[in-house]
Amino acid sequence: MSRFSLKGRLIIGTSLLLALMLSILPLPELIAPFRPDWLLVTLIYWTIALPHRANVGTAFFAGLVLDLLLGSVLGIHALALVIPVYLAASQFQRMRNYSVWQQAFVVGALAMLNKLLIFWAAYMNRDIQLDYPYFWSIVSSMVFWPWIFLLLRKCRRQFALS
């Protein structure tokens, strides 16, 4: 294994670890529904930026870790992350050509799919109701996308990851 490969894995792993920490960070009840899907957005960035380094397997593993951290049924978040990341990976060349704001709308659609998959899987396990505030995180993920994109791109360029 080359030193460059280890550096790339370390940078990507650190960003995913930070996204996991932000995903479980306790927030006041008033702003908790607005928490962006940090892990999904980070995975989407790395999938479209470096598809040979971060892909569906990375999303599956990260989803399992998120399931363990949240105490949810094992595999719910893994499934809900794998499908949007697969769609992003299959269209990564097209997404690279979009402006950051156009990408934000694609991220919003992928976040909507993620939320619907989580709801569907949770509904299959127990009887839950769909609340209106459940979807506010989609809007916040779209709003935060440009800044996350610019921050992770700066890290990728500074450490010369390719």
Side-chain angles (χ1 to χ4, degrees):
M1 178 174 14
S2 69
R3 195 171 140 247
F4 183 78
S5 177
L6 182 61
K7 179 174 65 170
R9 288 181 184 180
L10 185 63
I11 300 300
I12 293 171
T14 302
S15 67
L16 291 175
L17 183 63
L18 183 62
L20 280 166
M21 289 172 30
L22 288 171
S23 295
I24 64 168
L25 185 72
L27 292 177
E29 191 174 323
L30 183 63
I31 61 173
F34 297 98
R35 178 196 317 262
D37 292 322
W38 296 111
L39 188 59
L40 176 66
V41 172
T42 305
L43 282 165
I44 289 172
Y45 173 78
W46 289 119
T47 300
I48 64 174
L50 301 172
H52 59 284
R53 290 188 180 263
N55 50 32
V56 175
T58 309
F60 183 76
F61 179 73
L64 288 178
V65 172
L66 186 60
D67 283 330
L68 291 173
L69 290 173
L70 293 176
S72 61
V73 175
L74 198 61
I76 287 180
H77 288 92
L79 170 72
L81 286 172
V82 162
I83 294 173
V85 167
Y86 170 76
L87 293 173
S90 67
Q91 299 295 320
F92 79 95
Q93 290 176 332
R94 181 175 296 174
M95 282 187 68
R96 283 183 181 175
N97 291 323
Y98 292 159
S99 71
V100 177
W101 296 108
Q102 289 173 321
Q103 288 177 2
F105 285 104
V106 174
V107 167
L110 294 174
M112 172 69 93
L113 177 62
N114 176 272
K115 284 298 210 180
L116 289 174
L117 288 169
I118 291 171
F119 174 76
W120 172 75
Y123 181 77
M124 290 297 172
N125 287 318
R126 59 189 188 280
D127 190 26
I128 61 171
Q129 298 298 319
L130 187 61
D131 295 334
Y132 177 69
Y134 183 72
F135 295 106
W136 280 114
S137 66
I138 297 165
V139 175
S140 62
S141 296
M142 289 174 61
V143 168
F144 277 100
W145 170 255
W147 288 279
I148 293 169
F149 175 85
L150 294 173
L151 177 70
L152 291 175
R153 184 176 70 177
K154 181 176 169 79
C155 288
R156 181 174 57 88
R157 288 181 175 174
Q158 184 172 356
F159 293 106
L161 300 180
S162 62

